[in-house]
Amino acid sequence: MNMPERRNVLTPEALAMVDVIARTGSFAAAARELGKVPSALTYSVRQLEEALDVLLFDRRSRQARLTAAGEELLQEGRRLLQEMDAVANRVRRVASGWETQLCIAVDAILSNLTVFELCEAFYALNPPHGPGTRLRLRSEVLAGTWEALVSGVADLAIGVSPVQTLPPGISMQPLGELDMVFVVAPHHPLAGAGEPLSDAELVHHRAVAAADSAQRLAPLTVNLLPGQDVFTVPSVGAKLEAILRGLGCGFLPESLVRGHVEVGRLVIKPVTRPRLTGRLSYAWRSAPSHAVPRGRAPLGLALSWWLEQLERPATRTALLERHIGWQPGVIG
């Protein structure tokens, strides 16, 4: 029997039959559960074995014991049945307006705690399985957040820098501002230096920088001085950890370092350069109106839900302010 013919015998009914026989332990018990006579079940199993040219059950035992080939078919069959159910559910949900997948790029400078609280609320829309849309989170830094959106990888980008001209199909709204402060560890040489600190003094001390995650766009360099030694780390959490250890100095959101400053683990040092604020926005991809089928909204229901949350001032403030999750000794 060739491959297409073998494929035809591996029906959901046949896979479910093997599962029931293995679970009940006998053909007779399986026949009762399936509402069939035992002889019909035995005949169906023999047809399946002949088509696959393998023995699925050991006939030497009174119980229906699977052979090694039968065990493989059982495990793979269960996986296939689960996948078929999942595909059917996703197709039905997509038809109702819920996206199959939603990819969200979040700048690592924002509150990780708030992001996961939003994910928790999203999945609670239809407990315990959620609305059926697969969420995919990406943690990005600086231009990498914008790149994930414009390259088509992400559907929603939270924490991008505002731009004057938006590409077609991209919408943007302001998220808020981050108050950036210059911090050092108490044992860092700059901790006891006179204030305010000038660039001429800062250039002699190593800066800690979170690496821009952009792969194609030109990476951004923020608050670094020409000729200054730089310790580059992979994330904002790693930057905080490095500064806490006195490995360098740098600018971080005041909301992120506030708790460390209050207990004396970090020191805020005024600088001569103008006070820095980081203006951030959120942006999303939507199909042009002419590309949307009649009767369908231009945005999927999952993306619409996330945008509704971001419209709330409390959500935007939490993303900028709630950095409870950052702890010394943990590289996030």
Side-chain angles (χ1 to χ4, degrees):
M1 183 174 289
N2 58 37
M3 187 58 67
E5 292 173 334
R6 289 178 179 174
R7 187 183 304 153
N8 290 338
V9 302
L10 290 175
T11 63
E13 293 77 13
L15 297 173
M17 175 187 66
V18 173
D19 194 346
V20 173
I21 296 171
R23 179 166 47 79
T24 58
S26 73
F27 282 79
R32 286 193 297 271
E33 182 171 322
L34 294 172
K36 297 182 178 182
V37 296
S39 59
L41 208 60
T42 301
Y43 177 74
S44 297
V45 170
R46 284 178 177 170
Q47 279 191 315
L48 184 58
E49 290 178 325
E50 290 176 2
L52 298 176
D53 195 23
V54 297
L55 285 176
L56 299 175
F57 293 93
D58 188 347
R59 297 323 197 261
R60 295 172 299 179
S61 171
R62 290 185 178 181
Q63 292 185 324
R65 291 184 177 177
L66 289 167
T67 62
E71 286 283 358
E72 182 68 14
L73 180 63
L74 175 65
Q75 298 303 320
E76 288 299 308
R78 286 174 173 170
R79 183 184 62 80
L80 288 171
L81 289 173
Q82 290 174 350
E83 282 295 315
M84 292 174 70
D85 289 341
V87 168
N89 289 335
R90 290 198 296 271
V91 168
R92 185 170 63 250
R93 285 158 177 161
V94 167
S96 66
W98 290 99
E99 302 93 315
T100 301
Q101 177 175 285
L102 185 72
C103 182
I104 305 172
V106 183
D107 193 287
I109 207 167
L110 298 177
S111 166
N112 198 46
L113 174 65
T114 303
V115 171
F116 278 95
E117 286 180 346
L118 288 169
C119 293
E120 187 177 20
F122 178 79
Y123 283 124
L125 293 176
N126 182 30
H129 304 295
T133 299
R134 299 173 178 173
L135 284 185
R136 184 180 180 190
L137 291 180
R138 294 175 61 94
S139 179
E140 303 288 350
V141 178
L142 296 173
T145 312
W146 178 248
E147 180 181 272
L149 181 71
V150 296
S151 66
V153 172
D155 305 291
L156 171 64
I158 307 175
V160 296
S161 298
V163 296
Q164 295 296 325
T165 305
L166 291 172
I170 301 292
S171 300
M172 178 178 287
Q173 288 293 330
L175 182 67
E177 293 187 352
L178 281 173
D179 184 17
M180 306 296 290
V181 293
F182 184 83
V183 290
V184 296
H187 55 282
H188 190 277
L190 287 175
E195 301 171 353
L197 300 175
S198 66
D199 286 354
E201 187 168 10
L202 293 180
V203 73
H204 299 295
H205 297 271
R206 183 186 308 112
V208 182
D212 195 314
S213 59
Q215 300 296 315
R216 297 182 181 88
L217 297 179
L220 298 177
T221 300
V222 182
N223 295 323
L224 297 180
L225 299 171
Q228 187 176 23
D229 183 22
V230 180
F231 176 27
T232 303
V233 295
S235 68
V236 175
K239 178 176 179 177
L240 173 60
E241 180 71 19
I243 294 176
L244 284 165
R245 293 177 180 272
L247 300 178
C249 53
F251 290 88
L252 284 170
E254 188 278 332
S255 56
L256 174 59
V257 302
R258 186 181 303 145
H260 298 286
V261 172
E262 289 174 353
V263 296
R265 286 191 289 257
L266 286 177
V267 178
I268 296 177
K269 300 292 289 185
V271 294
T272 55
R273 68 177 63 181
R275 191 170 182 83
L276 298 172
T277 57
R279 294 179 56 226
L280 297 175
S281 299
Y282 61 96
W284 64 95
R285 294 167 49 216
S286 58
S289 58
H290 66 270
V292 179
R294 182 174 297 179
R296 289 290 298 274
L299 297 179
L301 295 178
L303 178 56
S304 296
W305 182 90
W306 280 84
L307 293 177
E308 288 174 6
Q309 311 313 305
L310 291 169
E311 288 175 1
R312 300 176 179 177
T315 301
R316 298 196 298 270
T317 300
L319 284 166
L320 296 167
E321 294 283 335
R322 295 182 66 229
H323 291 286
I324 301 173
W326 296 121
Q327 297 292 337
V330 177
I331 298 179

